[in-house]
Amino acid sequence: MSGICDGRVVVVTGAGRGLGRAHALAFAAEGARVVVNDLGVGLDGERGAESPAGAVVAEIRAAGGEAVAHGGDIATADGAASLVRTALETYGGLDTLVSNAGFLRDRMLVNLGEDDWDAVIRVHLKGHFLPLRHAAAYWRTEAKAGRIPQARVVHTSSGAGLLGSVGQGNYSAAKAGIVALTLVAAAELARYGVQVNAVAPAARTRMTARAFAQAMAAPATGFDAMAAENVSPLVVWLGSAASAGVTGRVFEAEGGRITVMEGWRPGPAADKGARWTPAEAGETARELLAAAEPPGAVYGA
Ligand SMILES: NC(=O)c1ccc[n+]([C@@H]2O[C@H](COP(=O)([O-])OP(=O)(O)OC[C@H]3O[C@@H](n4cnc5c(N)ncnc54)[C@H](O)[C@@H]3O)[C@@H](O)[C@H]2O)c1
């Protein structure tokens, strides 16, 4: 197998199912050697009997590619460290990290338990930070030794993190945090040859089976717009050396559509040059809001 990732070593977290599996297969098809991570948990994060990572490795090998399984929890220091170590010990390096693992515990805010908050923030936000930290430490060592890498990180956010989503306060907060982490990482790691971008995907997986029930129907046109495989080409390009110069960006990817998301930036402003009274501040805020772009609708509102 050869293509735009020839010779690269790529780690994909949560690659036993859904989007991660599609990404792992797509990277392998483009010549990458892939570390397929998956802890094997249920939809709500409860531990399953076994990791589905081995089956994806078998699929990649059957198609003539190279892959190795890693069954650790990427939201733990040990799991994240051993993930990066698996790439280094098996393939002698690491070029691309795709963080994708996660699960949901949807509840309206008034019913959202502390456990559900902690579990979802942990798997998504900490589950992005820890592998990033370990991979970045390796790339910094490489850069300091004079071997500037062409390293790539692809994070997984969500429309929920960009616009908000009713019933997903924990998930939306985690996915918004991942965008901020992406921006900081892109700025901090550029000097070591590392590019960091994020995708907000939409596809039919077990996670979205209910939300996309409509789109579960067999496609009439032959193009299955909700297939997870539609998101992977952009992820593979971002994870390849071909994406040189692209960093700190967020893309939405769904079906055949790729959208560059444009983030927070200053809108209308007023400066009194002195402290406002609350009444003045309120009047000014209303004038500024009248001149501002309205925000995008929160999903499900
Ligand atoms: N499917 C969509 O439309 C959609 C939309 C927006 C964002 N996302 C995001 O895309 C990513 C993939 O979602 P999916 O739809 O493919 O879901 P999925 O449930 O099919 O796959 C997620 C995988 O992550 C694994 N996992 C969970 N916790 C883990 C941990 N601690 N360590 C290692 N592996 C772990 C699970 O076992 C599972 O195989 C998630 O981050 C999700 O939030 C998906």
Side-chain angles (χ1 to χ4, degrees), residues 14 16-20 37-41 43 52 72-75 100-103 123-124 156-159 171 175 201-203 205-208 212:
R17 303 186 180 87
L19 286 157
N37 159 269
D38 207 294
L39 181 59
V41 302
L43 261 179
D73 181 346
I74 46 76
N100 160 86
F103 54 78
V123 73
H124 290 281
T156 306
S157 184
S158 165
Y171 181 70
K175 290 301 199 186
T205 65
R206 66 174 189 165
M207 188 183 275
T208 51
F212 297 140

PDB file of all heavy atoms in Angstrom, residues 14 16-20 37-41 43 52 72-75 100-103 123-124 156-159 171 175 201-203 205-208 212, ligand 1:
ATOM      1  N   GLY A  14      -9.025   5.406  19.819  1.00  0.00           N
ATOM      2  CA  GLY A  14     -10.428   5.031  19.623  1.00  0.00           C
ATOM      3  C   GLY A  14     -10.663   4.507  18.213  1.00  0.00           C
ATOM      4  O   GLY A  14     -11.705   4.768  17.614  1.00  0.00           O
ATOM      5  N   GLY A  16     -10.975   1.419  17.117  1.00  0.00           N
ATOM      6  CA  GLY A  16     -11.583   0.096  16.979  1.00  0.00           C
ATOM      7  C   GLY A  16     -12.932   0.133  16.292  1.00  0.00           C
ATOM      8  O   GLY A  16     -13.425  -0.896  15.825  1.00  0.00           O
ATOM      9  N   ARG A  17     -13.548   1.313  16.274  1.00  0.00           N
ATOM     10  CA  ARG A  17     -14.891   1.436  15.696  1.00  0.00           C
ATOM     11  C   ARG A  17     -15.045   2.806  15.039  1.00  0.00           C
ATOM     12  O   ARG A  17     -14.232   3.699  15.248  1.00  0.00           O
ATOM     13  CB  ARG A  17     -15.973   1.402  16.788  1.00  0.00           C
ATOM     14  CG  ARG A  17     -15.991   0.210  17.664  1.00  0.00           C
ATOM     15  CD  ARG A  17     -17.208   0.302  18.568  1.00  0.00           C
ATOM     16  NE  ARG A  17     -17.273  -0.851  19.445  1.00  0.00           N
ATOM     17  CZ  ARG A  17     -16.661  -0.911  20.622  1.00  0.00           C
ATOM     18  NH1 ARG A  17     -15.990   0.124  21.085  1.00  0.00           N
ATOM     19  NH2 ARG A  17     -16.742  -2.013  21.347  1.00  0.00           N
ATOM     20  N   GLY A  18     -16.168   2.952  14.350  1.00  0.00           N
ATOM     21  CA  GLY A  18     -16.640   4.268  13.905  1.00  0.00           C
ATOM     22  C   GLY A  18     -15.610   5.061  13.121  1.00  0.00           C
ATOM     23  O   GLY A  18     -14.918   4.538  12.232  1.00  0.00           O
ATOM     24  N   LEU A  19     -15.497   6.348  13.469  1.00  0.00           N
ATOM     25  CA  LEU A  19     -14.609   7.250  12.735  1.00  0.00           C
ATOM     26  C   LEU A  19     -13.142   6.844  12.864  1.00  0.00           C
ATOM     27  O   LEU A  19     -12.386   6.898  11.883  1.00  0.00           O
ATOM     28  CB  LEU A  19     -14.810   8.683  13.247  1.00  0.00           C
ATOM     29  CG  LEU A  19     -16.111   9.342  12.778  1.00  0.00           C
ATOM     30  CD1 LEU A  19     -16.523  10.462  13.725  1.00  0.00           C
ATOM     31  CD2 LEU A  19     -15.947   9.883  11.363  1.00  0.00           C
ATOM     32  N   GLY A  20     -12.729   6.458  14.070  1.00  0.00           N
ATOM     33  CA  GLY A  20     -11.325   6.103  14.287  1.00  0.00           C
ATOM     34  C   GLY A  20     -10.907   4.921  13.423  1.00  0.00           C
ATOM     35  O   GLY A  20      -9.815   4.907  12.848  1.00  0.00           O
ATOM     36  N   ASN A  37      -5.344   2.216  18.474  1.00  0.00           N
ATOM     37  CA  ASN A  37      -5.690   2.181  19.906  1.00  0.00           C
ATOM     38  C   ASN A  37      -7.191   2.035  20.096  1.00  0.00           C
ATOM     39  O   ASN A  37      -7.977   2.690  19.394  1.00  0.00           O
ATOM     40  CB  ASN A  37      -5.226   3.482  20.591  1.00  0.00           C
ATOM     41  CG  ASN A  37      -5.979   3.737  21.885  1.00  0.00           C
ATOM     42  OD1 ASN A  37      -7.007   4.401  21.899  1.00  0.00           O
ATOM     43  ND2 ASN A  37      -5.500   3.176  22.971  1.00  0.00           N
ATOM     44  N   ASP A  38      -7.600   1.225  21.029  1.00  0.00           N
ATOM     45  CA  ASP A  38      -8.988   1.241  21.507  1.00  0.00           C
ATOM     46  C   ASP A  38      -9.082   0.459  22.814  1.00  0.00           C
ATOM     47  O   ASP A  38      -8.587  -0.654  22.927  1.00  0.00           O
ATOM     48  CB  ASP A  38      -9.971   0.648  20.489  1.00  0.00           C
ATOM     49  CG  ASP A  38     -11.368   1.227  20.652  1.00  0.00           C
ATOM     50  OD1 ASP A  38     -11.999   0.971  21.704  1.00  0.00           O
ATOM     51  OD2 ASP A  38     -11.823   1.954  19.756  1.00  0.00           O
ATOM     52  N   LEU A  39      -9.730   1.095  23.787  1.00  0.00           N
ATOM     53  CA  LEU A  39      -9.914   0.457  25.097  1.00  0.00           C
ATOM     54  C   LEU A  39     -11.079  -0.526  25.048  1.00  0.00           C
ATOM     55  O   LEU A  39     -11.117  -1.474  25.837  1.00  0.00           O
ATOM     56  CB  LEU A  39     -10.179   1.556  26.143  1.00  0.00           C
ATOM     57  CG  LEU A  39     -10.377   1.165  27.598  1.00  0.00           C
ATOM     58  CD1 LEU A  39      -9.159   0.424  28.144  1.00  0.00           C
ATOM     59  CD2 LEU A  39     -10.645   2.417  28.445  1.00  0.00           C
ATOM     60  N   GLY A  40     -12.015  -0.288  24.122  1.00  0.00           N
ATOM     61  CA  GLY A  40     -13.167  -1.168  24.032  1.00  0.00           C
ATOM     62  C   GLY A  40     -14.190  -0.879  25.114  1.00  0.00           C
ATOM     63  O   GLY A  40     -14.380  -1.674  26.035  1.00  0.00           O
ATOM     64  N   VAL A  41     -14.836   0.283  25.011  1.00  0.00           N
ATOM     65  CA  VAL A  41     -15.845   0.642  26.013  1.00  0.00           C
ATOM     66  C   VAL A  41     -17.221   0.741  25.357  1.00  0.00           C
ATOM     67  O   VAL A  41     -17.342   0.840  24.139  1.00  0.00           O
ATOM     68  CB  VAL A  41     -15.513   1.977  26.726  1.00  0.00           C
ATOM     69  CG1 VAL A  41     -14.152   1.897  27.401  1.00  0.00           C
ATOM     70  CG2 VAL A  41     -15.572   3.154  25.764  1.00  0.00           C
ATOM     71  N   LEU A  43     -21.077   2.576  24.877  1.00  0.00           N
ATOM     72  CA  LEU A  43     -21.448   3.923  24.431  1.00  0.00           C
ATOM     73  C   LEU A  43     -21.293   4.961  25.530  1.00  0.00           C
ATOM     74  O   LEU A  43     -21.059   6.141  25.256  1.00  0.00           O
ATOM     75  CB  LEU A  43     -22.923   3.905  24.003  1.00  0.00           C
ATOM     76  CG  LEU A  43     -23.199   3.788  22.516  1.00  0.00           C
ATOM     77  CD1 LEU A  43     -24.700   3.749  22.287  1.00  0.00           C
ATOM     78  CD2 LEU A  43     -22.571   4.969  21.789  1.00  0.00           C
ATOM     79  N   PRO A  52     -11.740  -3.766  20.465  1.00  0.00           N
ATOM     80  CA  PRO A  52     -11.924  -4.092  19.046  1.00  0.00           C
ATOM     81  C   PRO A  52     -10.704  -3.712  18.194  1.00  0.00           C
ATOM     82  O   PRO A  52     -10.739  -3.857  16.970  1.00  0.00           O
ATOM     83  CB  PRO A  52     -13.128  -3.241  18.650  1.00  0.00           C
ATOM     84  CG  PRO A  52     -13.079  -2.062  19.579  1.00  0.00           C
ATOM     85  CD  PRO A  52     -12.414  -2.520  20.857  1.00  0.00           C
ATOM     86  N   GLY A  72      -4.821   0.338  25.538  1.00  0.00           N
ATOM     87  CA  GLY A  72      -4.818   1.137  26.765  1.00  0.00           C
ATOM     88  C   GLY A  72      -5.836   2.262  26.779  1.00  0.00           C
ATOM     89  O   GLY A  72      -6.407   2.632  25.754  1.00  0.00           O
ATOM     90  N   ASP A  73      -6.038   2.820  27.975  1.00  0.00           N
ATOM     91  CA  ASP A  73      -6.935   3.968  28.192  1.00  0.00           C
ATOM     92  C   ASP A  73      -6.125   5.240  27.978  1.00  0.00           C
ATOM     93  O   ASP A  73      -5.236   5.567  28.772  1.00  0.00           O
ATOM     94  CB  ASP A  73      -7.475   3.907  29.628  1.00  0.00           C
ATOM     95  CG  ASP A  73      -8.433   5.047  29.935  1.00  0.00           C
ATOM     96  OD1 ASP A  73      -8.500   6.024  29.162  1.00  0.00           O
ATOM     97  OD2 ASP A  73      -9.109   4.960  30.986  1.00  0.00           O
ATOM     98  N   ILE A  74      -6.460   6.001  26.913  1.00  0.00           N
ATOM     99  CA  ILE A  74      -5.649   7.169  26.557  1.00  0.00           C
ATOM    100  C   ILE A  74      -5.860   8.352  27.516  1.00  0.00           C
ATOM    101  O   ILE A  74      -5.147   9.343  27.432  1.00  0.00           O
ATOM    102  CB  ILE A  74      -5.922   7.612  25.098  1.00  0.00           C
ATOM    103  CG1 ILE A  74      -7.417   7.663  24.775  1.00  0.00           C
ATOM    104  CG2 ILE A  74      -5.225   6.675  24.136  1.00  0.00           C
ATOM    105  CD1 ILE A  74      -8.192   8.785  25.299  1.00  0.00           C
ATOM    106  N   ALA A  75      -6.823   8.229  28.420  1.00  0.00           N
ATOM    107  CA  ALA A  75      -7.049   9.308  29.392  1.00  0.00           C
ATOM    108  C   ALA A  75      -6.283   9.060  30.693  1.00  0.00           C
ATOM    109  O   ALA A  75      -6.499   9.751  31.685  1.00  0.00           O
ATOM    110  CB  ALA A  75      -8.538   9.477  29.666  1.00  0.00           C
ATOM    111  N   ASN A 100      -9.095  10.780  18.879  1.00  0.00           N
ATOM    112  CA  ASN A 100     -10.466  10.579  18.413  1.00  0.00           C
ATOM    113  C   ASN A 100     -11.335   9.856  19.437  1.00  0.00           C
ATOM    114  O   ASN A 100     -12.559   9.954  19.394  1.00  0.00           O
ATOM    115  CB  ASN A 100     -10.376   9.781  17.085  1.00  0.00           C
ATOM    116  CG  ASN A 100     -11.648   9.083  16.698  1.00  0.00           C
ATOM    117  OD1 ASN A 100     -12.516   9.659  16.071  1.00  0.00           O
ATOM    118  ND2 ASN A 100     -11.782   7.809  17.086  1.00  0.00           N
ATOM    119  N   ALA A 101     -10.720   9.159  20.394  1.00  0.00           N
ATOM    120  CA  ALA A 101     -11.489   8.316  21.324  1.00  0.00           C
ATOM    121  C   ALA A 101     -12.459   9.143  22.170  1.00  0.00           C
ATOM    122  O   ALA A 101     -12.173  10.287  22.512  1.00  0.00           O
ATOM    123  CB  ALA A 101     -10.528   7.572  22.249  1.00  0.00           C
ATOM    124  N   GLY A 102     -13.576   8.548  22.511  1.00  0.00           N
ATOM    125  CA  GLY A 102     -14.502   9.242  23.414  1.00  0.00           C
ATOM    126  C   GLY A 102     -15.838   8.548  23.500  1.00  0.00           C
ATOM    127  O   GLY A 102     -16.099   7.571  22.794  1.00  0.00           O
ATOM    128  N   PHE A 103     -16.656   9.041  24.411  1.00  0.00           N
ATOM    129  CA  PHE A 103     -18.023   8.530  24.561  1.00  0.00           C
ATOM    130  C   PHE A 103     -18.907   9.635  25.121  1.00  0.00           C
ATOM    131  O   PHE A 103     -18.416  10.729  25.452  1.00  0.00           O
ATOM    132  CB  PHE A 103     -18.039   7.283  25.468  1.00  0.00           C
ATOM    133  CG  PHE A 103     -17.398   7.488  26.819  1.00  0.00           C
ATOM    134  CD1 PHE A 103     -18.059   8.151  27.842  1.00  0.00           C
ATOM    135  CD2 PHE A 103     -16.109   7.022  27.050  1.00  0.00           C
ATOM    136  CE1 PHE A 103     -17.459   8.344  29.085  1.00  0.00           C
ATOM    137  CE2 PHE A 103     -15.498   7.209  28.292  1.00  0.00           C
ATOM    138  CZ  PHE A 103     -16.175   7.868  29.305  1.00  0.00           C
ATOM    139  N   VAL A 123     -12.492  11.773  29.355  1.00  0.00           N
ATOM    140  CA  VAL A 123     -12.117  10.985  28.167  1.00  0.00           C
ATOM    141  C   VAL A 123     -11.798  11.887  26.978  1.00  0.00           C
ATOM    142  O   VAL A 123     -10.868  11.599  26.210  1.00  0.00           O
ATOM    143  CB  VAL A 123     -13.193   9.933  27.818  1.00  0.00           C
ATOM    144  CG1 VAL A 123     -14.439  10.564  27.206  1.00  0.00           C
ATOM    145  CG2 VAL A 123     -12.608   8.886  26.868  1.00  0.00           C
ATOM    146  N   HIS A 124     -12.532  12.990  26.806  1.00  0.00           N
ATOM    147  CA  HIS A 124     -12.289  13.830  25.632  1.00  0.00           C
ATOM    148  C   HIS A 124     -11.138  14.820  25.873  1.00  0.00           C
ATOM    149  O   HIS A 124     -10.178  14.849  25.102  1.00  0.00           O
ATOM    150  CB  HIS A 124     -13.560  14.599  25.249  1.00  0.00           C
ATOM    151  CG  HIS A 124     -14.635  13.710  24.690  1.00  0.00           C
ATOM    152  ND1 HIS A 124     -14.624  13.257  23.396  1.00  0.00           N
ATOM    153  CD2 HIS A 124     -15.747  13.176  25.262  1.00  0.00           C
ATOM    154  CE1 HIS A 124     -15.679  12.479  23.179  1.00  0.00           C
ATOM    155  NE2 HIS A 124     -16.378  12.417  24.301  1.00  0.00           N
ATOM    156  N   THR A 156     -10.098  15.856  17.556  1.00  0.00           N
ATOM    157  CA  THR A 156     -11.502  15.668  17.183  1.00  0.00           C
ATOM    158  C   THR A 156     -12.393  16.505  18.094  1.00  0.00           C
ATOM    159  O   THR A 156     -12.559  16.206  19.272  1.00  0.00           O
ATOM    160  CB  THR A 156     -11.907  14.183  17.258  1.00  0.00           C
ATOM    161  OG1 THR A 156     -10.987  13.421  16.474  1.00  0.00           O
ATOM    162  CG2 THR A 156     -13.314  13.988  16.716  1.00  0.00           C
ATOM    163  N   SER A 157     -12.928  17.566  17.511  1.00  0.00           N
ATOM    164  CA  SER A 157     -13.914  18.384  18.228  1.00  0.00           C
ATOM    165  C   SER A 157     -15.302  17.939  17.771  1.00  0.00           C
ATOM    166  O   SER A 157     -15.513  16.767  17.420  1.00  0.00           O
ATOM    167  CB  SER A 157     -13.671  19.872  17.961  1.00  0.00           C
ATOM    168  OG  SER A 157     -14.569  20.657  18.723  1.00  0.00           O
ATOM    169  N   SER A 158     -16.245  18.853  17.751  1.00  0.00           N
ATOM    170  CA  SER A 158     -17.620  18.525  17.366  1.00  0.00           C
ATOM    171  C   SER A 158     -18.375  19.834  17.165  1.00  0.00           C
ATOM    172  O   SER A 158     -18.030  20.849  17.789  1.00  0.00           O
ATOM    173  CB  SER A 158     -18.279  17.728  18.495  1.00  0.00           C
ATOM    174  OG  SER A 158     -19.675  17.685  18.316  1.00  0.00           O
ATOM    175  N   GLY A 159     -19.407  19.783  16.347  1.00  0.00           N
ATOM    176  CA  GLY A 159     -20.291  20.942  16.251  1.00  0.00           C
ATOM    177  C   GLY A 159     -20.818  21.340  17.625  1.00  0.00           C
ATOM    178  O   GLY A 159     -21.059  22.521  17.892  1.00  0.00           O
ATOM    179  N   TYR A 171     -20.252  17.293  27.186  1.00  0.00           N
ATOM    180  CA  TYR A 171     -19.590  16.993  25.902  1.00  0.00           C
ATOM    181  C   TYR A 171     -19.239  18.290  25.163  1.00  0.00           C
ATOM    182  O   TYR A 171     -18.131  18.439  24.632  1.00  0.00           O
ATOM    183  CB  TYR A 171     -20.554  16.133  25.078  1.00  0.00           C
ATOM    184  CG  TYR A 171     -20.065  15.701  23.727  1.00  0.00           C
ATOM    185  CD1 TYR A 171     -19.051  14.762  23.596  1.00  0.00           C
ATOM    186  CD2 TYR A 171     -20.648  16.206  22.570  1.00  0.00           C
ATOM    187  CE1 TYR A 171     -18.626  14.339  22.341  1.00  0.00           C
ATOM    188  CE2 TYR A 171     -20.237  15.794  21.314  1.00  0.00           C
ATOM    189  CZ  TYR A 171     -19.220  14.861  21.206  1.00  0.00           C
ATOM    190  OH  TYR A 171     -18.805  14.449  19.964  1.00  0.00           O
ATOM    191  N   LYS A 175     -15.517  19.453  24.119  1.00  0.00           N
ATOM    192  CA  LYS A 175     -15.156  19.629  22.709  1.00  0.00           C
ATOM    193  C   LYS A 175     -14.737  21.076  22.405  1.00  0.00           C
ATOM    194  O   LYS A 175     -13.926  21.304  21.501  1.00  0.00           O
ATOM    195  CB  LYS A 175     -16.315  19.198  21.813  1.00  0.00           C
ATOM    196  CG  LYS A 175     -16.566  17.678  21.820  1.00  0.00           C
ATOM    197  CD  LYS A 175     -15.348  16.902  21.363  1.00  0.00           C
ATOM    198  CE  LYS A 175     -15.666  15.477  20.928  1.00  0.00           C
ATOM    199  NZ  LYS A 175     -14.445  14.701  20.634  1.00  0.00           N
ATOM    200  N   PRO A 201     -16.353  16.336  13.015  1.00  0.00           N
ATOM    201  CA  PRO A 201     -16.941  15.444  12.016  1.00  0.00           C
ATOM    202  C   PRO A 201     -18.445  15.273  12.213  1.00  0.00           C
ATOM    203  O   PRO A 201     -18.985  15.614  13.275  1.00  0.00           O
ATOM    204  CB  PRO A 201     -16.234  14.118  12.306  1.00  0.00           C
ATOM    205  CG  PRO A 201     -15.985  14.141  13.784  1.00  0.00           C
ATOM    206  CD  PRO A 201     -15.797  15.594  14.170  1.00  0.00           C
ATOM    207  N   ALA A 202     -19.092  14.756  11.216  1.00  0.00           N
ATOM    208  CA  ALA A 202     -20.456  14.249  11.379  1.00  0.00           C
ATOM    209  C   ALA A 202     -20.574  13.005  10.522  1.00  0.00           C
ATOM    210  O   ALA A 202     -20.286  13.046   9.323  1.00  0.00           O
ATOM    211  CB  ALA A 202     -21.488  15.288  10.976  1.00  0.00           C
ATOM    212  N   ALA A 203     -20.952  11.913  11.153  1.00  0.00           N
ATOM    213  CA  ALA A 203     -21.064  10.628  10.436  1.00  0.00           C
ATOM    214  C   ALA A 203     -21.915   9.684  11.256  1.00  0.00           C
ATOM    215  O   ALA A 203     -22.068   9.856  12.463  1.00  0.00           O
ATOM    216  CB  ALA A 203     -19.680  10.018  10.211  1.00  0.00           C
ATOM    217  N   THR A 205     -22.328   6.601  13.228  1.00  0.00           N
ATOM    218  CA  THR A 205     -21.601   5.584  13.994  1.00  0.00           C
ATOM    219  C   THR A 205     -22.542   5.134  15.096  1.00  0.00           C
ATOM    220  O   THR A 205     -23.653   5.665  15.215  1.00  0.00           O
ATOM    221  CB  THR A 205     -20.329   6.170  14.640  1.00  0.00           C
ATOM    222  OG1 THR A 205     -20.733   7.150  15.613  1.00  0.00           O
ATOM    223  CG2 THR A 205     -19.417   6.836  13.615  1.00  0.00           C
ATOM    224  N   ARG A 206     -22.093   4.246  15.950  1.00  0.00           N
ATOM    225  CA  ARG A 206     -22.985   3.833  17.046  1.00  0.00           C
ATOM    226  C   ARG A 206     -23.317   5.037  17.938  1.00  0.00           C
ATOM    227  O   ARG A 206     -24.366   5.107  18.549  1.00  0.00           O
ATOM    228  CB  ARG A 206     -22.350   2.712  17.863  1.00  0.00           C
ATOM    229  CG  ARG A 206     -21.104   3.134  18.604  1.00  0.00           C
ATOM    230  CD  ARG A 206     -20.569   2.056  19.511  1.00  0.00           C
ATOM    231  NE  ARG A 206     -19.507   2.600  20.335  1.00  0.00           N
ATOM    232  CZ  ARG A 206     -19.010   2.027  21.411  1.00  0.00           C
ATOM    233  NH1 ARG A 206     -19.462   0.870  21.808  1.00  0.00           N
ATOM    234  NH2 ARG A 206     -18.050   2.601  22.099  1.00  0.00           N
ATOM    235  N   MET A 207     -22.362   6.023  17.995  1.00  0.00           N
ATOM    236  CA  MET A 207     -22.564   7.196  18.854  1.00  0.00           C
ATOM    237  C   MET A 207     -23.711   8.074  18.355  1.00  0.00           C
ATOM    238  O   MET A 207     -24.383   8.742  19.130  1.00  0.00           O
ATOM    239  CB  MET A 207     -21.265   8.019  18.892  1.00  0.00           C
ATOM    240  CG  MET A 207     -21.261   9.142  19.883  1.00  0.00           C
ATOM    241  SD  MET A 207     -19.729  10.100  19.813  1.00  0.00           S
ATOM    242  CE  MET A 207     -18.652   9.147  20.878  1.00  0.00           C
ATOM    243  N   THR A 208     -23.914   8.091  17.033  1.00  0.00           N
ATOM    244  CA  THR A 208     -24.895   9.020  16.461  1.00  0.00           C
ATOM    245  C   THR A 208     -26.066   8.291  15.811  1.00  0.00           C
ATOM    246  O   THR A 208     -26.841   8.902  15.085  1.00  0.00           O
ATOM    247  CB  THR A 208     -24.214   9.897  15.394  1.00  0.00           C
ATOM    248  OG1 THR A 208     -23.524   9.041  14.475  1.00  0.00           O
ATOM    249  CG2 THR A 208     -23.227  10.859  16.012  1.00  0.00           C
ATOM    250  N   PHE A 212     -28.846  10.474  13.831  1.00  0.00           N
ATOM    251  CA  PHE A 212     -28.889  10.408  12.374  1.00  0.00           C
ATOM    252  C   PHE A 212     -29.784   9.270  11.892  1.00  0.00           C
ATOM    253  O   PHE A 212     -29.543   8.683  10.848  1.00  0.00           O
ATOM    254  CB  PHE A 212     -27.478  10.253  11.792  1.00  0.00           C
ATOM    255  CG  PHE A 212     -26.575  11.421  12.084  1.00  0.00           C
ATOM    256  CD1 PHE A 212     -25.242  11.227  12.405  1.00  0.00           C
ATOM    257  CD2 PHE A 212     -27.051  12.729  12.047  1.00  0.00           C
ATOM    258  CE1 PHE A 212     -24.387  12.303  12.680  1.00  0.00           C
ATOM    259  CE2 PHE A 212     -26.218  13.805  12.323  1.00  0.00           C
ATOM    260  CZ  PHE A 212     -24.894  13.594  12.642  1.00  0.00           C
TER     261      PHE A 212
HETATM  262  N1  LIG B   1     -20.101  10.376  14.819  1.00  0.00           N
HETATM  263  C1  LIG B   1     -20.268  11.691  14.736  1.00  0.00           C
HETATM  264  O1  LIG B   1     -21.113  12.209  13.982  1.00  0.00           O
HETATM  265  C2  LIG B   1     -19.424  12.613  15.573  1.00  0.00           C
HETATM  266  C3  LIG B   1     -19.738  13.976  15.576  1.00  0.00           C
HETATM  267  C4  LIG B   1     -18.916  14.846  16.276  1.00  0.00           C
HETATM  268  C5  LIG B   1     -17.815  14.349  16.964  1.00  0.00           C
HETATM  269  N2  LIG B   1     -17.568  13.003  16.972  1.00  0.00           N
HETATM  270  C6  LIG B   1     -16.402  12.538  17.717  1.00  0.00           C
HETATM  271  O2  LIG B   1     -15.675  11.598  16.925  1.00  0.00           O
HETATM  272  C7  LIG B   1     -14.992  10.684  17.777  1.00  0.00           C
HETATM  273  C8  LIG B   1     -15.298   9.251  17.362  1.00  0.00           C
HETATM  274  O3  LIG B   1     -16.686   9.012  17.571  1.00  0.00           O
HETATM  275  P1  LIG B   1     -17.499   7.823  16.883  1.00  0.00           P
HETATM  276  O4  LIG B   1     -18.759   8.395  16.438  1.00  0.00           O
HETATM  277  O5  LIG B   1     -16.633   7.105  15.914  1.00  0.00           O
HETATM  278  O6  LIG B   1     -17.809   6.898  18.183  1.00  0.00           O
HETATM  279  P2  LIG B   1     -17.613   5.331  18.477  1.00  0.00           P
HETATM  280  O7  LIG B   1     -18.285   5.077  19.775  1.00  0.00           O
HETATM  281  O8  LIG B   1     -18.019   4.538  17.278  1.00  0.00           O
HETATM  282  O9  LIG B   1     -16.028   5.168  18.619  1.00  0.00           O
HETATM  283  C9  LIG B   1     -15.312   5.672  19.713  1.00  0.00           C
HETATM  284  C10 LIG B   1     -14.268   4.651  20.132  1.00  0.00           C
HETATM  285  O10 LIG B   1     -13.484   5.204  21.199  1.00  0.00           O
HETATM  286  C11 LIG B   1     -13.163   4.148  22.100  1.00  0.00           C
HETATM  287  N3  LIG B   1     -12.800   4.701  23.412  1.00  0.00           N
HETATM  288  C12 LIG B   1     -13.628   5.331  24.289  1.00  0.00           C
HETATM  289  N4  LIG B   1     -12.953   5.681  25.386  1.00  0.00           N
HETATM  290  C13 LIG B   1     -11.657   5.308  25.206  1.00  0.00           C
HETATM  291  C14 LIG B   1     -10.462   5.416  25.981  1.00  0.00           C
HETATM  292  N5  LIG B   1     -10.487   5.992  27.198  1.00  0.00           N
HETATM  293  N6  LIG B   1      -9.307   4.937  25.472  1.00  0.00           N
HETATM  294  C15 LIG B   1      -9.269   4.347  24.244  1.00  0.00           C
HETATM  295  N7  LIG B   1     -10.381   4.190  23.474  1.00  0.00           N
HETATM  296  C16 LIG B   1     -11.557   4.661  23.944  1.00  0.00           C
HETATM  297  C17 LIG B   1     -14.427   3.299  22.133  1.00  0.00           C
HETATM  298  O11 LIG B   1     -14.170   1.973  22.609  1.00  0.00           O
HETATM  299  C18 LIG B   1     -14.885   3.360  20.679  1.00  0.00           C
HETATM  300  O12 LIG B   1     -14.428   2.240  19.935  1.00  0.00           O
HETATM  301  C19 LIG B   1     -15.412  11.029  19.207  1.00  0.00           C
HETATM  302  O13 LIG B   1     -14.451  11.887  19.791  1.00  0.00           O
HETATM  303  C20 LIG B   1     -16.725  11.780  18.991  1.00  0.00           C
HETATM  304  O14 LIG B   1     -17.032  12.634  20.054  1.00  0.00           O
HETATM  305  C21 LIG B   1     -18.343  12.131  16.296  1.00  0.00           C
END
